[in-house]
Amino acid sequence: MNQQVKNWIARDPDPKTRQELEELLKNGDQDELKRRFHGRLAFGTAGLRGVIGAGPARMNQLVVRETTAGLASYLLKTVPGCSERGVVVAYDGRHGSYTFAHDAASVLAAFGFKVHLSTQTMPTPVAAYAVRYFGAAAGIMVTASHNPGNFNGFKIIVQGQVLSGEMLQLLKPIMIVENFTRGGGEYFSRLVIPQYVRQIFEDIGIVREFKVVVDGANSVSGPVAVEMFESLGCDVVPLYCDIDGAFPNHEPNPSDEFNLLDLRARVASEDADLGFAFDGD
């Protein structure tokens, strides 16, 4: 196993995660090394998702690069014209998301893909909308959804939908040795978000103006949700709508009742009509 770890260190572009593994080797922590190298981080319901750290069973730059290379190879084999149509790459506000997104964009560019790379954080639904907006062959969304702040993830979107775990099993990571130079791609952000909000407005319409409390859970959804409801003419009360990947107020998981306590209290104190809770993406 030690040789496997050393081979990974030799390919890892991140000095921080290289140091993690070097210290584990130095300390002879075989149990932890086994946990990091027992297998690769596997695709689940909606992509990769795992604790940020070193090794193939964690979320890190090398895992992202190799997974993106696998996606690029898969698209080139199965989707005619995919390189010209390009791939959308977007990311949330978690630790590492910006770096992972730019790594993915650089790998795609190296494979000859046009890259539509976001210049700012955005929610997964906006990234999915961008895939349709640009007519892209696929999209990558760097996010771990509702998981705690020490997680990150990698979702793949085609035709505006996040791929299922069964479909994702067709993708195989490619072991990348080269350090790709970052660059390439057409950047987007404010071009897409207002279009997305207008589309929501057209699809939903509104019966009357509501007073709503938006609990963004410090995720990327908060600012977009506030903008959307204000566009609908609602009176909006923002709660935890500043983006913070550490999620200092509560975990971004609205399916847990504990994470709704502050929202319930604010809806009551503001005498609001509705309260909306969002997860991490």
Side-chain angles (χ1 to χ4, degrees), residues 149 214-219 238-253 256-263 266 278:
V214 173
D215 183 354
N218 299 113
S219 76
L239 176 65
Y240 308 141
C241 285
D242 54 316
I243 298 172
D244 188 334
F247 306 113
N249 294 291
H250 60 73
E251 289 188 358
N253 182 4
D256 185 337
E257 288 285 330
F258 177 80
N259 297 319
L260 300 177
L261 294 178
D262 291 349
L263 175 62
R266 185 61 65 87
F278 291 87

Side-chain angles (χ1 to χ4, degrees), residues 179-253:
N179 285 321
F180 289 100
T181 301
R182 288 188 179 182
E186 297 184 359
Y187 297 95
F188 76 91
S189 61
R190 300 306 302 174
L191 173 68
V192 170
I193 291 177
Q195 292 281 359
Y196 173 79
V197 171
R198 279 194 288 272
Q199 187 67 54
I200 294 294
F201 182 87
E202 292 173 4
D203 290 346
I204 296 177
I206 194 163
V207 178
R208 67 181 181 89
E209 295 179 358
F210 293 99
K211 184 173 184 179
V212 301
V213 179
V214 173
D215 183 354
N218 299 113
S219 76
V220 292
S221 300
V224 176
V226 169
E227 180 179 345
M228 183 184 73
F229 284 119
E230 287 179 344
S231 296
L232 291 170
C234 295
D235 180 7
V236 182
V237 180
L239 176 65
Y240 308 141
C241 285
D242 54 316
I243 298 172
D244 188 334
F247 306 113
N249 294 291
H250 60 73
E251 289 188 358
N253 182 4

